[in-house]
Amino acid sequence: MIISRVVGLLGLLSGAVAYKTLSDDSLRDIADPGDDFDIKNGALLAPILQPRVPGTPGSTAVLTHFVNFFQKSLPEWELSFQNSSSKTPLSGNDEVPFRNLIATRDPPWAQQGHVGRLALVAHYDSKIDPPGFIGAIDSAAPCAMLMHAARSLDAALTKKWAAMESDGETELEEAGGIQIILLDGEEAFKVWTHDDSIYGARSLAEEWEQTMHPAASTYRTPLDAIDLFVLLDLLGSAKPTVPSFFRTTHWAYSNMAAAEARLRSLKQLETAPADVFLREANKKETDRWLGGAIEDDHIPFQARGVDILHMIPAPFPAVWHKMTDDGEHLDIPTVKDWAKIVTAFAAEWMELDGYLSPPKKRNAMPELDRTEL
Ligand SMILES: *[C@@H]1O[C@H](CO)[C@@H](O)[C@H](O)[C@H]1NC(C)=O
Ligand SMILES: [Zn+2]
């Protein structure tokens, strides 16, 4: 465990990464997603459970759902698109559009280029084949989990940053921001190759690497400003086990595993106590690390030096890339537990102990209107 301590310590010394575990009371205040993950009527999940192949009306409808959610429920989050287009093995000479959506919340006093961020990431596109494929674990459910995390932390971030401002702490401490990245074009159109896969992620990493912050910034580019890239994929089937893939971010994995264990012991999770999702907190330096074995949206970010925490089960769930990866095959207690675990991890990362409100007091989601993209 020497590596993890060293990495953690360097993080603290550079001022980039803070992490403070939540008290039991704050862990109990992690909001329950309730009916919002219902596959038929759930406000967060149901609208994503439709085919959403890049450039199709389904893709636009799901993107509209995300935009409406942030605009109506989380107006403090700054929305931006990063668009690109590319030919694909199926498109002939036509360019297929890829639209990534990024929702960012920074401390109100933060200056461009001076704030590092926790990035929570999932892809929202679905595979073109087999026709009608829904991709519930791949990755509709992970997108809904991230929406839940964002809204569960929003009020606490407001309170914490207001307290820091009124205490005059904003110059002493570098508070970080948080970012939800919903990526397009993860799936291959034909066969997974370097050119036919992760279209959105490749374009975003390249663009952010080349977008320079003002001179004298702490972070050279928006890519450098990512303190940790947490990628959720294939989550929502029962009894997942997610390994710790990378030695360099094992300390973060261990923190998430500890949050899971504490939520379980406080009886805040619905899945059976023995069905632990994160079983490798005590992995040793000399154990077998699978990092690099699974290609996914993190690749172009990792290649540019970004720290990655990859939350993907190994082995993959049985429904992977089959028609059966639909709403009916989700294990909803597992989906809800993941949402809470990821929210707790993000709350610890953002140091929100004491700022979360008891779940009952959370405002219900307002009715969403349709807006055109
Ligand atoms: C990117 O795509 C979105 C969604 O279609 C659109 O609203 C936006 O205007 C586009 N942005 C740019 C810069 O083209
Ligand atoms: Zn897939």
Side-chain angles (χ1 to χ4, degrees):
M1 290 312 97
I2 282 173
I3 271 280
S4 68
R5 291 234 182 91
V6 169
V7 172
L9 187 63
L10 286 178
L12 287 177
L13 286 178
S14 73
V17 171
Y19 196 96
K20 187 165 177 290
T21 54
L22 294 178
S23 64
D24 287 356
D25 280 345
S26 282
L27 275 177
R28 287 194 193 92
D29 287 343
I30 295 293
D32 188 289
D35 294 336
D36 287 344
F37 287 173
D38 184 272
I39 63 166
K40 291 278 187 270
N41 306 307
L44 297 190
L45 179 58
I48 316 175
L49 293 173
Q50 60 176 306
R52 41 196 192 283
V53 174
T56 65
S59 164
T60 302
V62 171
L63 206 46
T64 305
H65 168 57
F66 296 143
V67 169
N68 282 341
F69 166 77
F70 280 100
Q71 286 181 343
K72 303 279 153 50
S73 309
L74 302 175
E76 303 283 346
W77 295 63
E78 191 192 313
L79 294 184
S80 64
F81 284 104
Q82 190 274 335
N83 303 341
S84 61
S85 66
S86 174
K87 294 191 175 75
T88 77
L90 298 184
S91 73
N93 277 328
D94 293 341
E95 300 264 325
V96 174
F98 299 101
R99 301 168 294 182
N100 300 318
L101 178 65
I102 302 108
T104 305
R105 187 140 195 229
D106 290 339
W109 63 86
Q111 286 177 313
Q112 166 89 320
H114 290 273
V115 56
R117 302 185 182 103
L118 174 66
L120 304 175
V121 189
H123 76 86
Y124 73 88
D125 64 301
S126 64
K127 210 167 169 298
I128 194 166
D129 181 61
F133 178 75
I134 296 293
I137 63 168
D138 189 10
S139 270
C143 290
M145 293 169 197
L146 298 187
M147 296 168 89
H148 177 71
R151 73 173 177 186
S152 303
L153 303 176
D154 186 57
L157 290 169
T158 305
K159 277 190 235 164
K160 179 190 156 121
W161 289 335
M164 287 178 75
E165 279 187 307
S166 68
D167 293 348
E169 283 176 21
T170 60
E171 291 182 3
L172 295 175
E173 273 186 64
E174 271 194 54
I178 183 165
Q179 198 160 53
I180 307 289
I181 303 179
L182 300 165
L183 293 170
D184 199 3
E186 188 264 354
E187 302 286 5
F189 285 82
K190 230 168 158 185
V191 180
W192 186 285
T193 63
H194 291 284
D195 292 328
D196 185 21
S197 66
I198 59 169
Y199 293 87
R202 283 187 282 131
S203 174
L204 183 65
E206 197 180 311
E207 184 170 312
W208 276 6
E209 184 185 36
Q210 289 162 9
T211 306
M212 292 296 153
H213 284 148
S217 290
T218 312
Y219 302 92
R220 228 165 46 95
T221 66
L223 188 100
D224 287 336
I226 300 175
D227 288 327
L228 183 69
F229 184 100
V230 183
L231 177 61
L232 276 53
D233 202 358
L234 306 185
L235 302 180
S237 292
K239 299 185 200 280
T241 56
V242 170
S244 180
F245 288 97
F246 302 110
R247 288 182 178 83
T248 45
T249 53
H250 184 63
W251 63 280
Y253 176 97
S254 298
N255 281 330
M256 198 184 293
E260 181 195 2
R262 291 183 61 220
L263 283 166
R264 285 194 190 282
S265 69
L266 294 168
K267 306 219 179 320
Q268 299 298 302
L269 301 185
E270 293 182 18
T271 53
D275 294 340
V276 175
F277 300 170
L278 305 176
R279 294 168 179 259
E280 296 197 341
N282 297 319
K283 193 164 184 166
K284 295 192 182 53
E285 178 70 4
T286 48
D287 288 343
R288 185 155 170 267
W289 296 74
L290 296 172
I294 298 179
E295 290 190 25
D296 206 343
D297 281 322
H298 62 293
I299 297 284
F301 292 86
Q302 187 167 45
R304 291 168 170 83
V306 176
D307 272 338
I308 309 294
L309 184 60
H310 198 184
M311 307 309 294
I312 190 169
F316 290 172
V319 297
W320 176 65
H321 285 186
K322 298 194 178 127
M323 274 312 270
T324 43
D325 182 11
D326 56 12
E328 284 72 17
H329 287 81
L330 286 172
D331 184 64
I332 298 301
T334 301
V335 177
K336 291 167 85 173
D337 285 358
W338 274 123
K340 284 188 146 188
I341 293 165
V342 171
T343 301
F345 173 81
E348 296 196 335
W349 187 283
M350 301 305 290
E351 303 194 304
L352 295 178
D353 189 40
Y355 293 106
L356 296 152
S357 303
K360 288 144 255 130
K361 291 193 189 144
R362 184 168 65 71
N363 291 331
M365 249 185 81
E367 277 294 303
L368 297 181
D369 305 333
R370 300 230 143 257
T371 55
E372 293 300 317
L373 281 176

